Amino acid sequence: MANLLHSLIDHISIDLGETFLITEITNGEITGDPGPGDIPPNGNSDLRVGLSGLLLTSRVDQGDQHFVRYELWDARPDAPEAWDEIWIGELRIDSGTIAIAEWNSWSEPMEFPVFDLGETGSTWSIRVLTKVMNNTEEPDFPEDMFVVQLYRLQLWLAPAAM
């Protein structure tokens, strides 16, 4: 059974169809290679995968929030129910740290918290899951008055190559 070692939640506000990165960060600088990336074999165009980063595309409109929960596990965890798995694979994270990064340069760059994997020079197995949530609590109001996209990144050390 896998154990959760630690987690971190961060967020970014982008519009429908815009993209953001989750990539290797070293001393506050983007050092990962998120792309241009390849569309994963399952054909999901919401995600592009590079050698050490991901390029994610929003499914929700109007500058809504996109929350990312990083989870570091001691082994491969079970996937949670009711989430869409959009990719599972490996990334090489030499610095041992990742973070959200803005894909465009239209505005001043924001600083995002860094998630420390606790080990440098390693290849990490990663599962990327997503869920879009709408207002369902108040049926007298439109469902799209509140929309948020959630991402869950489950990371664990990749098995050593034989």
Side-chain angles (χ1 to χ4, degrees), residues 14-18 57-64 66:
I14 61 172
D15 291 327
L16 177 66
E18 288 187 354
T57 303
S58 172
R59 290 186 190 173
V60 297
D61 202 1
Q62 304 166 1
D64 290 303
H66 296 69

Side-chain angles (χ1 to χ4, degrees), residues 11 13 59-67 131-138 140-150:
H11 70 281
S13 182
R59 290 186 190 173
V60 297
D61 202 1
Q62 304 166 1
D64 290 303
Q65 295 294 315
H66 296 69
F67 288 88
K131 178 190 289 193
V132 175
M133 298 182 70
N134 295 338
N135 167 45
T136 58
E137 300 297 315
E138 295 293 335
D140 295 334
F141 292 86
E143 277 189 11
D144 64 353
M145 76 171 204
F146 176 80
V147 180
V148 64
Q149 186 164 2
L150 307 176

Side-chain angles (χ1 to χ4, degrees), residues 8-14 20 22 56 58 60 63-70 83 100 112 128-133 146-153:
L8 173 75
I9 296 176
D10 196 7
H11 70 281
I12 187 169
S13 182
I14 61 172
F20 69 97
I22 297 176
L56 296 150
S58 172
V60 297
D64 290 303
Q65 295 294 315
H66 296 69
F67 288 88
V68 175
R69 176 181 163 97
Y70 306 100
W83 285 75
I100 294 174
F112 294 96
V128 181
L129 303 122
T130 193
K131 178 190 289 193
V132 175
M133 298 182 70
F146 176 80
V147 180
V148 64
Q149 186 164 2
L150 307 176
Y151 293 93
R152 182 181 300 260
L153 277 70

Side-chain angles (χ1 to χ4, degrees), residues 107-120:
S107 59
E108 288 294 314
M110 294 175 57
E111 294 210 14
F112 294 96
V114 172
F115 186 66
D116 189 349
L117 298 166
E119 190 167 319
T120 60

